[in-house]
Amino acid sequence: MNKRKVTIDYLDTQKLGENFSKKIKSGDIILLYGDLGAGKTTFVKGILKGLQFANEVTSPTFSLINEYNADKKVIHIDCYREKEIERWISIGIEDYFNQSNIIIIEWPEILEAIIPDNAIKIKISHIDTNKREFLFI
Ligand code: ADP
Ligand code: MG
């Protein structure tokens, strides 16, 4: 994927996720970097909408891992509340990397040692209240 930068308003974040969903395939791992409230989960909601998932999409902040049977299977992981890599390994996180799911990880820093190198990285930054910058790496 080419490196590119976009600055967008709130409603466009979901739309960007929807468009992005058309470019990803099973087996892709997507890492979402950005502070609290950056728009990571909002972007994931757009991805699932784009993959025709009609039901509610919630943040895995507390569940840690949410699975969705959309057009493709999507595993949505949030590392914010569990910063011990050993805990992730003990719950079998690496098994997900070896399956043909789309994996999306919020706060991926903690898992970097075990995430495959070819993951797609997206950095989301606050510009102002309703504007965010997306950097695709
Ligand atoms: P994260 O998962 O990164 O913590 P969320 O997607 O849960 O962030 O929340 C983003 C918050 O920021 C929401 O309350 C949303 O309404 C607000 N927001 C304002 N502008 C934007 C934007 N351009 N893109 C995404 N979210 C935005
Ligand atoms: Mg979130």
Side-chain angles (χ1 to χ4, degrees):
M1 193 161 299
N2 291 331
K3 194 162 175 171
R4 66 195 176 97
K5 214 183 230 185
V6 285
T7 305
I8 52 173
D9 285 317
Y10 174 56
L11 288 176
D12 295 333
T13 293
Q14 275 209 26
K15 195 77 201 157
L16 187 70
E18 250 181 281
N19 293 340
F20 180 74
S21 76
K22 313 295 178 202
K23 296 177 185 153
I24 54 180
K25 56 184 189 314
S26 296
D28 282 348
I29 300 176
I30 298 135
L31 311 184
L32 298 180
Y33 294 88
D35 294 339
L36 268 185
K40 301 180 293 298
T41 300
T42 305
F43 184 70
V44 175
K45 288 179 181 179
I47 292 176
L48 280 153
K49 188 169 177 215
L51 295 174
Q52 310 304 324
F53 188 78
N55 297 323
E56 197 188 2
V57 173
T58 54
S59 174
T61 309
F62 294 97
S63 54
L64 302 184
I65 303 173
N66 289 345
E67 301 195 15
Y68 297 98
N69 288 308
D71 270 358
K72 294 164 189 150
K73 188 160 181 184
V74 175
I75 312 294
H76 182 195
I77 298 169
D78 190 335
C79 301
Y80 184 68
R81 293 189 67 86
E82 180 50 71
K83 297 198 165 62
E84 297 274 340
I85 192 167
E86 295 307 328
R87 288 264 297 141
W88 286 101
I89 291 171
S90 72
I91 62 172
I93 197 73
E94 286 164 299
D95 293 344
Y96 284 114
F97 300 147
N98 302 321
Q99 295 165 12
S100 55
N101 306 302
I102 290 173
I103 300 174
I104 310 174
I105 309 178
E106 298 188 34
W107 300 98
E109 291 87 342
I110 187 67
L111 296 180
E112 268 170 356
I114 56 170
I115 292 171
D117 288 341
N118 58 354
I120 299 166
K121 296 181 177 176
I122 303 175
K123 294 189 177 171
I124 312 174
S125 326
H126 285 78
I127 301 294
D128 65 30
T129 315
N130 292 314
K131 274 197 170 41
R132 303 289 187 269
E133 181 185 270
F134 277 70
L135 177 63
F136 294 79
I137 303 169

